[in-house]
Amino acid sequence: LPEHYVTALAVVGGYLYAGGRFPSAGGVAASNVARFDGSNWSSLGSGTDDTVQALLASGNDVYVGGYFANAGGSAHSRVARWDGTGWHAMGTGIGGSGHLSVWSLHEHAGVVYAGGYFSSAGGQVANNLARWSGGAWSSVGTGIDNGVSGGVQSLLVADGILHVGGPVS
């Protein structure tokens, strides 16, 4: 990949949001995530401290996932919510060991699903796949059926069934 790039786009409230790996957008300092109003780019606070891989538009909010540990200057472990004016934590976020990331976000019936490469969400065991509902993280599945064995790069709910894509087995 080139040094600077965009990996995700979303539209909320007439604004285009872009996430990826970049220091600025349209000449405005915007660390890895920015908003375009049709004429001008603006930052989302101080942005994130590492690459944004996924954006999800839900109502007036934008959910942001990626490799970052901080968003807006505060700890937001790999996932956070932007409400148009500020960053909000999603519990203790996504965790584990290794090169952790959220690569995909999807919302269905008020539940936000996160997929990527991780082993916990909100301190709960969650193998590369988790759900955010009611202000808390939980795994998708239990026991040996908790999550999936490989990284999750795409998510979709169709006909009430969660579909997972990526190098899974």
Side-chain angles (χ1 to χ4, degrees), residues 31 33 44-48 52 55 62-64 68 71-74 76 79-89:
S31 185
V33 63
L44 277 62
S46 59
T48 65
V52 169
L55 295 175
V62 177
Y63 292 87
V64 180
F68 58 89
S74 298
H76 294 285
V79 65
R81 180 178 60 87
W82 173 261
D83 69 1
T85 59
W87 291 99
H88 300 275

Side-chain angles (χ1 to χ4, degrees), residues 6-168:
V6 172
T7 55
L9 298 169
V11 174
V12 174
Y15 294 104
L16 171 67
Y17 288 83
R21 182 180 176 94
F22 50 83
S24 63
V28 174
S31 185
N32 305 310
V33 63
R35 178 173 73 184
F36 186 64
D37 67 7
S39 299
N40 300 297
W41 286 96
S42 60
S43 65
L44 277 62
S46 59
T48 65
D49 67 347
D50 205 340
T51 307
V52 169
Q53 290 292 112
L55 295 175
L56 168 65
S58 181
N60 292 320
D61 296 332
V62 177
Y63 292 87
V64 180
Y67 289 97
F68 58 89
N70 294 289
S74 298
H76 294 285
S77 186
R78 290 155 198 88
V79 65
R81 180 178 60 87
W82 173 261
D83 69 1
T85 59
W87 291 99
H88 300 275
M90 295 176 69
T92 57
I94 300 298
S97 61
H99 196 59
L100 306 171
S101 184
V102 170
W103 295 331
S104 181
L105 295 165
H106 186 72
E107 186 269 335
H108 178 72
V111 175
V112 174
Y113 294 92
Y117 182 75
F118 52 86
S119 60
S120 69
Q124 308 279 337
V125 173
N127 295 312
N128 305 312
L129 181 61
R131 75 175 129 234
W132 173 259
S133 180
W137 287 104
S138 61
S139 64
V140 177
T142 59
I144 62 169
D145 292 324
N146 176 338
V148 295
S149 61
V152 174
Q153 293 176 317
S154 60
L155 297 166
L156 175 70
V157 174
D159 295 328
I161 297 170
L162 177 63
H163 300 270
V164 177
V168 298

